[in-house]
Amino acid sequence: MQSAVLLALRPGGRHSERGGRRRGELEEAEKGRMKRTIIKDWKKRLSYFLQNSSTSTNMKANKGGKHHAYFRPSPEEARLWSEAFDELLANKYGLAAFRAFLKSEFCEENIEFWLACEDFKKTKSPQKLTSKAKKIYNDFIEKEAPKEINIDFQTKNIIAQNIQEATHTCFSAAQKRVYSLMENNSYPRFLESEFYQELCKKTPITRAAQGT
């Protein structure tokens, strides 16, 4: 009897215990809701990029007067992306899926920078090389750039000096750094995500649609 009275008089008492359990339940519920929202967003992005790719291809085929079959990758093809990061980047759909995944993680600037560098290295005109180098620097390298990538201060300074007389190797060090970040961090998460698993498991709907 005495212990019951003491418990009731203790500040917070049973109400504090109930409140703590309630807060814990609410936090777990919120985490679950956020996870479901993220997965739903992944699926929307996946559906969006597949539909857009299919539509844009049909438009090009119509303009050129030639027909090119363009389907969502088969589960077998999607599984090949797990063999190497380069396999993923070399595949049109793999790259699109990876970009959509990075957008869901709010770090798409890495793949955008890498692609900009790939395009930059193919540039032949010295004038275009200089203008592209400055654009890449303004977009991704300089402090508080709209798509600033995570590289060290020394590399940024070297790039700032190199773009004054732009060459195809201006961004090589930064590109390698960003590639490594994606390969070691984003790529494993992509392979484990439900976003990627959707591609590996589901039957391509466009093939069924073609038969109707």
Side-chain angles (χ1 to χ4, degrees):
M1 183 70 178
Q2 186 178 4
S3 60
V5 172
L6 289 173
L7 181 61
L9 292 174
R10 189 178 299 163
R14 292 173 181 173
H15 293 292
S16 179
E17 288 183 17
R18 290 171 186 165
R21 284 198 298 270
R22 180 61 178 163
R23 282 194 297 272
E25 290 171 0
L26 289 173
E27 288 175 1
E28 287 300 318
E30 179 65 15
K31 288 179 182 178
R33 186 189 67 78
M34 289 179 66
K35 184 177 180 181
R36 288 192 297 273
T37 300
I38 291 171
I39 290 173
K40 185 178 180 181
D41 182 58
W42 285 347
K43 290 179 179 179
K44 283 183 179 179
R45 290 180 185 277
L46 179 60
S47 175
Y48 176 78
F49 96 77
L50 287 173
Q51 289 172 9
N52 278 5
S53 296
S54 178
T55 302
S56 62
T57 303
N58 290 336
M59 290 174 64
K60 289 179 183 177
N62 292 335
K63 288 180 181 179
K66 296 180 181 180
H67 176 72
H68 296 282
Y70 221 50
F71 300 115
R72 167 181 170 160
S74 67
E76 292 76 19
E77 184 180 0
R79 291 186 193 109
L80 290 175
W81 305 342
S82 66
E83 294 183 1
F85 188 41
D86 285 335
E87 286 281 351
L88 175 68
L89 296 180
N91 184 280
K92 180 182 179 69
Y93 285 108
L95 178 60
F98 187 59
R99 289 184 74 173
F101 172 74
L102 291 182
K103 284 183 179 180
S104 74
E105 292 206 327
F106 305 101
C107 58
E108 65 268 30
E109 68 277 0
N110 288 331
I111 190 64
E112 290 181 9
F113 171 72
W114 186 85
L115 289 169
C117 289
E118 289 296 290
D119 175 70
F120 176 76
K121 290 186 292 187
K122 297 174 185 175
T123 305
K124 295 180 180 179
S125 166
Q127 290 78 16
K128 287 185 178 180
L129 197 70
T130 299
S131 63
K132 283 185 178 182
K134 290 179 179 178
K135 178 169 176 53
I136 292 174
Y137 180 82
N138 292 336
D139 288 348
F140 300 100
I141 306 298
E142 70 177 351
K143 186 176 180 181
E144 297 183 2
K147 302 175 184 178
E148 186 177 3
I149 57 172
N150 183 20
I151 57 174
D152 60 272
F153 181 74
Q154 183 179 1
T155 302
K156 286 189 175 188
N157 278 346
I158 292 173
I159 291 173
Q161 295 171 15
N162 288 343
I163 64 170
Q164 302 305 318
E165 295 181 8
T167 66
H168 289 95
T169 60
C170 277
F171 303 100
S172 294
Q175 188 182 17
K176 287 179 182 177
R177 166 66 176 162
V178 166
Y179 180 94
S180 179
L181 283 173
M182 292 191 296
E183 183 179 33
N184 295 316
N185 296 316
S186 302
Y187 176 55
R189 289 199 303 274
F190 170 75
L191 296 180
E192 293 174 0
S193 70
E194 186 164 336
F195 190 74
Y196 173 65
Q197 298 303 321
E198 286 290 316
L199 283 174
C200 292
K201 293 178 182 178
K202 288 193 174 181
T203 302
I205 56 175
T206 49
R207 294 184 188 275
Q210 187 190 30
T212 59

